[in-house]
C-alpha cells in the first residue's frame, strides 16, 4: 500500500522518465546475453534488408544493426555516466574549496575557469581529443575537465552564500576542518541545484559523446556508439530506410526522460509545489 501510494504521488512525466531509464539500464546490463551477435561480428553483406535473422538489417560493413544498437547504448551510457560522475566530483570539490577558502585560491581557480569557459565547449573538446587521442580514457577525462568548469561555477556561487552564514562560522570557531565544513555544513544546504545540475550535466555529456562520435572523434570503431551509427548509416534514409533514425530517437528519448526525472527531483528537494 505504501509503495502504491508513493508511486501514485509521482507525476506522470516523471513516471514515464523513470520507466524509460530503467529499461535503458536493464538493456545495457543484459546486452551481452540478449544481443543476437557479437558487437563487431560481420554476419552478412552490407545493408541487408530487414529479416528474421536481422530484425533491423545490417550496417555498411555487414554487422547486425540490432546488436550494434544494443551495444551502442551500453557503451554510450557507461561512458557518459563515468564522465558525468568525474565531472561532478571535480567541479564540486573545486567549487566548495574556492567558496569556503576564498582569497587568492578562489581568484586563481575562478580566473582559470573563466579562461576555459571562454572557448566553446565543442571546439575545446575537439582540440584536446586531436592532441591527446580518442581512446575511451582520454574521452572521459577531456569531457570531465571541460564540463567540470560549469559545475564549479554553480557550486561556487551557491556555496558562497552558505559559507558566510552563522552556523558555518560556528563550525570554524569549533575548530572543524575543511572537509567537515564542506561535507557537513555547506553541501547539504545546496543539494537542490546540484540535483538539477547532475541530471542536466548527464544529458549534456551524453549528447556531447554522441556528437563527437558523429564527427569521428568520440567512441572509436569497432566499439558501437549511437552517434557513430547515425553517421555511418545515414545513406539508408535516402532509400527510405529509417533504421538510422532509431539510435537518434534513442538519444532523444533518454535525454527527455532524464529531464522529466530531474524536474520531479528538483521539486521534491526544493519543496516547490507542482
Amino acid at each position: 500500500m505504501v509503495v502504491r501510494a508513493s508511486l501514485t504521488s509521482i507525476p506522470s512525466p516523471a513516471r514515464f522518465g523513470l520507466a524509460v531509464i530503467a529499461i535503458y539500464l536493464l538493456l545495457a546490463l543484459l546486452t551481452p546475453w540478449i544481443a543476437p551477435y557479437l558487437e563487431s561480428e560481420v554476419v552478412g553483406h552490407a545493408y541487408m534488408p530487414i529479416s528474421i535473422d536481422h530484425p533491423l538489417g545490417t550496417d555498411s560493413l555487414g554487422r547486425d544493426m540490432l546488436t550494434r544498437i544494443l551495444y551502442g547504448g551500453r557503451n554510450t551510457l557507461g561512458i557518459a555516466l563515468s564522465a558525468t560522475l568525474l565531472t561532478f566530483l571535480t567541479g564540486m570539490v573545486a567549487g566548495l574549496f574556492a567558496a569556503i577558502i576564498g582569497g587568492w585560491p578562489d581568484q586563481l581557480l575562478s580566473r582559470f575557469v573563466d579562461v576555459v569557459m571562454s572557448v566553446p565547449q565543442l571546439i575545446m573538446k575537439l582540440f584536446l581529443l586531436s592532441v591527446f587521442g580518442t581512446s575511451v580514457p582520454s574521452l572521459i577525462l577531456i569531457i570531465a575537465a571541460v564540463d567540470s568548469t560549469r559545475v564549479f561555477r554553480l557550486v561556487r556561487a551557491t556555496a558562497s552564500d552558505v559559507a558566510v552564514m552563522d552556523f558555518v562560522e560556528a563550525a570554524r570557531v569549533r575548530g572543524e576542518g575543511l572537509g567537515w565544513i564542506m561535507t557537513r555544513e555547506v553541501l547539504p544546504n545546496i543539494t537542490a541545484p546540484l540535483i538539477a545540475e547532475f541530471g542536466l550535466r548527464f544529458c549534456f555529456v551524453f549528447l556531447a559523446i554522441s556528437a563527437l562520435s558523429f564527427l569521428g572523434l568520440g567512441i572509436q570503431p569497432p566499439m558501437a556508439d549511437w552517434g557513430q551509427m547515425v553517421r555511418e548509416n545515414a545513406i539508408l534514409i535516402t532509400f527510405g530506410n529509417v533504421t538510422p533514425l532509431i539510435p537518434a530517437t534513442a538519444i532523444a528519448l533518454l535525454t527527455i526522460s532524464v529531464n522529466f526525472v530531474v524536474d520531479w527531483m528538483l521539486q521534491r528537494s526544493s519543496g516547490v509545489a507542482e
Side-chain angles (χ1 to χ4, degrees), residues 99-119:
I100 295 171
I101 294 296
W104 67 265
D106 178 25
Q107 292 299 316
L108 183 63
L109 285 170
S110 297
R111 299 296 78 77
F112 173 76
V113 167
D114 289 341
V115 171
V116 174
M117 292 183 66
S118 66
V119 182

Side-chain angles (χ1 to χ4, degrees), residues 24-33 74:
Y24 273 60
L25 291 176
L26 185 63
L27 290 176
L29 292 173
L30 298 179
T31 290
W33 293 275
R74 178 184 175 91

Side-chain angles (χ1 to χ4, degrees), residues 92 107 134 153 211 269:
M92 186 171 62
Q107 292 299 316
T134 54
R153 289 287 293 270
S269 62

Side-chain angles (χ1 to χ4, degrees), residues 15 39 83 188 268:
R15 276 185 297 201
E39 181 177 6
R268 282 177 57 88

Side-chain angles (χ1 to χ4, degrees), residues 80-92 137 140-145 148 151 198:
L81 185 59
S82 300
T84 305
L85 290 172
L86 184 58
T87 295
F88 222 75
L89 179 63
T90 305
M92 186 171 62
I140 292 174
L141 291 174
I142 288 170
I143 289 176
S148 61
V151 180
F198 184 86

Side-chain angles (χ1 to χ4, degrees), residues 105-167:
D106 178 25
Q107 292 299 316
L108 183 63
L109 285 170
S110 297
R111 299 296 78 77
F112 173 76
V113 167
D114 289 341
V115 171
V116 174
M117 292 183 66
S118 66
V119 182
Q121 285 193 55
L122 184 58
I123 294 176
M124 176 68 79
K125 291 170 184 174
L126 289 172
F127 170 73
L128 293 175
L129 285 169
S130 64
V131 172
F132 295 105
T134 54
S135 64
V136 170
S138 295
L139 182 63
I140 292 174
L141 291 174
I142 288 170
I143 289 176
V146 175
D147 282 33
S148 61
T149 56
R150 274 69 183 172
V151 180
F152 170 87
R153 289 287 293 270
L154 173 67
V155 173
R156 179 185 174 276
T158 53
S160 294
D161 296 334
V162 178
V164 297
M165 292 185 175
D166 292 340
F167 62 89

Side-chain angles (χ1 to χ4, degrees), residues 30 35 81 151 191 196 219 232 249 261:
L30 298 179
L81 185 59
V151 180
T191 54
I219 300 174
E232 291 176 346
T249 303
V261 176

